Amino acid sequence: MRRFSIAVVAAVTLGAALSSAPAQAGEGGGRPGLAHCTAGTCHFDVPPGTYDVRVTLGGEAASSTSISGETRRALLPETAAPAGERVTRSFTVNVRTPEGEPTGPEGTPGLDLRIGGTAPALAGIKVTPARHARQIFLVGDSTVCDQPGDPYSGWGQQLPQFLRKGVSVANYADSGESTVSYLGNPQLWATVRPLIRPGDLVLVQLAHNDKTTDEATYRANLETLVAGVRERGGRPVLVTPIVRRWFNPDGTLNNGTALLVNGLGVDHPAVIRSVAAARDVPLIDLTAKTKALVESLGVEGSKALYLYNEARDNTHTSVRGATAYAGLVRDELVTRHLVPKGTVRVG
């Protein structure tokens, strides 16, 4: 495969709709990088790192385009462009190996972007190395991770679409992990910690798999993660786990299964809140936020947030649910002034 130098801007002009016809190497009046795109996909042979992507959308007809990349990450929400007009958007993306879950397959080298939407139209694209980008690291489990297969999706997989150029998400969440296994696996915490730079945010949501972890160990593990982030100059943020969709007869989620109380009686959200208060760590109470949302939708309406219809799964989220929960995280990042408001997409 031809090596694409990161010192060179990759520029692609595809006309009205990328999905309508494959791009050919000789098209575009000799513009560099056109051969990196085929129907619906653009590939850039870049090494691991953080990259700014600038896209120009639109064509002769009205269009509506979204962009995802790597392991099913949502990078740009569906964006409309009126007929004959062009709309420019930018975002920052993390490229790593493995490209999805840290203990999963390596994936495809380089940066892969997929053009979607109800009426996609890509008029141009540039990929350049990011300079001084803020990084948000995610430490979590299967409810957070970049899930490799549809219909599953973690909320961390949907979070990038809510962020503008200058902030990227490095999602190191991994399926099946507890605080014990995350700290003990060299592919996980020992890999993430050295990557943290001063000022980087590190969001930690680990609870679903701490089913046999006693309270003292669970608390100590959270404190170890917090201390490790701070030793690197990063900013830890503790996140309580998303609820399980497990209703009481009265339509509430006030039970141990829904609210992540393990078999030893350890109330995970309560311990997380306690550690956040004791260690002066910002807290995103996603348990409370997701509980309120699920209860407001009710027994039937909340099924679409999870994979109940597909797999009778009341723990893992659908794309719809993961997107809604990522939106709650976005709101908390802004409300708590953890990221500059101008770097977040609202609405």
Side-chain angles (χ1 to χ4, degrees):
M1 183 181 293
R2 183 177 61 187
R3 197 70 185 164
F4 175 70
S5 171
I6 63 172
V8 177
V9 173
V12 183
T13 302
L14 299 179
L18 179 68
S19 60
S20 63
Q24 301 298 323
E27 294 175 351
R31 296 181 183 89
L34 188 59
H36 291 277
C37 286
T38 58
T41 303
C42 295
H43 173 78
F44 302 97
D45 189 17
V46 297
T50 306
Y51 297 89
D52 290 331
V53 179
R54 182 177 183 269
V55 294
T56 303
L57 309 174
E60 293 182 5
S63 63
S64 186
T65 308
S66 63
I67 298 178
S68 61
E70 299 295 90
T71 303
R72 302 177 61 237
R73 293 182 225 159
L75 299 172
L76 184 72
E78 192 144 345
T79 302
E85 296 188 18
R86 298 290 188 268
V87 173
T88 299
R89 295 288 185 271
S90 297
F91 55 87
T92 302
V93 60
N94 172 256
V95 177
R96 60 182 183 272
T97 303
E99 68 178 31
E101 296 180 84
T103 63
E106 290 194 356
T108 304
L111 172 61
D112 290 291
L113 301 173
R114 282 166 287 282
I115 315 303
T118 54
L122 179 66
I125 182 168
K126 290 183 178 181
V127 176
T128 55
R131 306 297 183 191
H132 311 297
R134 296 170 181 261
Q135 196 97 289
I136 299 177
F137 288 91
L138 302 182
V139 170
D141 53 34
S142 58
T143 66
V144 185
C145 75
D146 288 349
Q147 288 280 0
D150 186 67
Y152 289 83
S153 181
W155 62 255
Q157 200 164 20
Q158 300 300 323
L159 185 60
Q161 67 184 302
F162 293 110
L163 302 171
R164 301 179 188 274
K165 176 185 174 183
V167 180
S168 72
V169 175
N171 191 351
Y172 282 85
D174 197 71
S175 293
E177 306 301 341
S178 65
T179 57
V180 176
S181 63
Y182 203 95
L183 285 167
N185 189 330
Q187 293 176 278
L188 300 172
W189 184 236
T191 296
V192 176
R193 187 175 176 276
L195 300 175
I196 300 170
R197 301 170 303 180
D200 285 341
L201 283 181
V202 183
L203 275 57
V204 178
Q205 186 217 279
L206 286 167
H208 279 272
N209 299 300
D210 278 280
K211 299 173 183 178
T212 60
T213 309
D214 63 78
E215 183 170 337
T217 302
Y218 185 64
R219 180 182 298 272
N221 289 344
L222 292 175
E223 291 173 343
T224 296
L225 290 164
V226 166
V229 173
R230 285 176 165 167
E231 287 165 4
R232 295 289 301 171
R235 296 184 293 159
V237 179
L238 291 177
V239 183
T240 60
I242 68 169
V243 294
R244 295 191 180 101
R245 185 190 160 278
W246 199 270
F247 281 93
N248 296 324
D250 65 358
T252 67
L253 299 177
N254 296 316
N255 60 77
T257 300
L259 299 181
L260 282 294
V261 178
N262 76 7
L264 301 178
V266 179
D267 185 331
H268 293 104
V271 176
I272 295 168
R273 295 177 189 120
S274 174
V275 172
R279 300 296 177 180
D280 193 25
V281 178
L283 174 74
I284 295 177
D285 198 341
L286 202 52
T287 305
K289 294 289 184 182
T290 56
K291 178 179 184 292
L293 177 57
V294 172
E295 287 181 341
S296 72
L297 293 172
V299 174
E300 290 302 317
S302 62
K303 287 179 179 179
L305 299 180
Y306 291 81
L307 296 175
Y308 179 86
N309 294 324
E310 297 84 354
R312 296 298 187 267
D313 187 334
N314 292 305
T315 297
H316 297 97
T317 47
S318 63
V319 170
R320 176 177 172 180
T323 303
Y325 291 175
L328 296 175
V329 174
R330 179 270 316 270
D331 293 345
E332 288 293 288
L333 291 174
V334 173
T335 299
R336 299 183 180 281
H337 307 290
L338 295 170
V339 295
K341 189 174 182 179
T343 62
V344 177
R345 301 183 198 279
V346 296

